[in-house]
Amino acid sequence: MKRKHPKKKTPLAYEERAYRTLQQSGLVSTYVRMAETDLHILAPVKVEDEALVLVAELRLQLENYIRSNRFFADSLIPLAPDPSASPIVREMLTAGRLAEVGPMAAVAGALAESIGHRLLALGLEEVIVENGGDIFLARSRECTVAVFAGESPLSNRIGIRLAPEQMPCGICCSSASIGHSLSFGRADAVVVTAASTALADAAATRLGNEVKSGPGSIEKALKIAREIRGISGVLIVRNEQLGAWGAIELERL
């Protein structure tokens, strides 16, 4: 399965102490890898067998759709709705239209979200699915997520606090300075929170493209963020500069 918008190598990471707290509270790690998909799942029990089945099923749906729709994998612009497509494809198409990017900009978030909801449907009370730095969160307690922003002096010094009533939700990041992702901007980190993890992923890509090196660039991107229906908060880091909008609570780490 080709991806036009590969995501970063862990642009978001749980702050070390918060991560240990999650482990001590009873959540255990499961790692699932299949082709380009590389997941870290935290749940009350090991879920490797269940997750492998879900990943294989979802990847097959995406691969079949890519084979039958030649524009889907490579488009950098939104594509039309397709009511006949599978739910994960429809979610990606919707996220792409809302954020005004191609649907593959939402693939990592869509996979994390789909797997997270399916695991919850199997009876798990809590689950976290991280897919290349894009995170689906469903917890009954407060979580703090640390933002890794490459060489920025703010890297790993800022956390985003999420309350239980905000979950399940997605928290996704795009960066021009970390990993090998396609980005037309200059941001060290653009983090987006939303009820839809697919939308958070697509919006992070869109807003990351808007952050340039000139003055007023962060403010321009935040203005665009206000127009993306469905996202709840945005944090932008470029060098020593920071900007935020929406229902997002920052914490000094």
Side-chain angles (χ1 to χ4, degrees):
M1 181 173 62
K2 294 168 58 181
R3 179 178 177 172
K4 191 66 177 179
H5 301 276
K7 296 306 289 181
K8 310 300 172 288
K9 307 296 184 182
T10 63
L12 288 175
Y14 278 96
E15 187 267 329
E16 186 177 0
R17 287 167 296 175
Y19 188 87
R20 287 199 300 266
T21 299
L22 289 174
Q23 294 287 61
Q24 292 167 3
S25 67
L27 295 181
V28 297
S29 291
T30 298
Y31 296 92
V32 176
R33 297 177 179 88
M34 185 178 296
E36 304 96 334
T37 303
D38 188 350
L39 304 178
H40 179 204
I41 302 172
L42 286 162
V45 296
K46 284 277 189 181
V47 292
E48 183 175 6
D49 292 342
E50 296 87 346
L52 279 170
V53 171
L54 294 174
V55 170
E57 177 186 334
L58 292 167
R59 284 186 59 87
L60 181 61
Q61 293 174 14
L62 287 170
E63 289 164 357
N64 287 340
Y65 195 81
I66 287 169
R67 279 193 290 269
S68 62
N69 296 267
R70 61 190 181 95
F71 297 114
F72 185 81
D74 296 322
S75 178
L76 299 179
I77 61 174
L79 298 179
D82 185 353
S84 67
S86 65
I88 188 170
V89 171
R90 296 199 304 270
E91 186 75 14
M92 291 168 61
L93 288 168
T94 297
R97 290 195 305 277
L98 289 171
E100 298 185 4
V101 292
M104 286 298 281
V107 66
L111 278 167
E113 181 175 23
S114 296
I115 291 165
H117 279 302
R118 296 279 286 276
L119 290 174
L120 291 172
L122 292 176
L124 296 178
E125 294 183 356
E126 298 183 306
V127 67
I128 301 168
V129 183
E130 182 269 326
N131 185 13
D134 296 318
I135 300 170
F136 170 83
L137 272 170
R139 292 230 67 195
S140 59
R141 58 176 295 168
E142 183 180 274
C143 292
T144 297
V145 179
V147 178
F148 177 59
E151 298 300 317
S152 166
L154 300 174
S155 186
N156 284 329
R157 297 180 65 182
I158 306 165
I160 296 174
R161 185 181 299 165
L162 294 164
E165 55 268 23
Q166 294 175 272
M167 298 182 249
C169 68
I171 178 166
C172 299
C173 184
S174 180
S175 173
S177 62
I178 308 166
H180 305 285
S181 222
L182 176 63
S183 178
F184 300 110
R186 300 292 297 274
D188 291 303
V190 175
V191 185
V192 176
T193 60
S196 164
T197 314
L199 176 57
D201 192 4
T205 297
R206 165 70 193 286
L207 298 174
N209 290 340
E210 300 292 341
V211 179
K212 309 298 184 181
S213 57
S217 180
I218 292 178
E219 291 78 5
K220 177 185 175 183
L222 293 175
K223 182 178 179 181
I224 292 171
R226 295 180 177 91
E227 301 171 357
I228 300 177
R229 181 165 51 89
I231 66 174
S232 54
V234 178
L235 170 67
I236 298 175
V237 178
R238 181 169 63 84
N239 300 326
E240 71 284 354
Q241 297 178 311
L242 176 151
W245 166 82
I248 192 164
E249 184 177 356
L250 302 183
E251 179 179 349
R252 179 177 293 178
L253 301 180

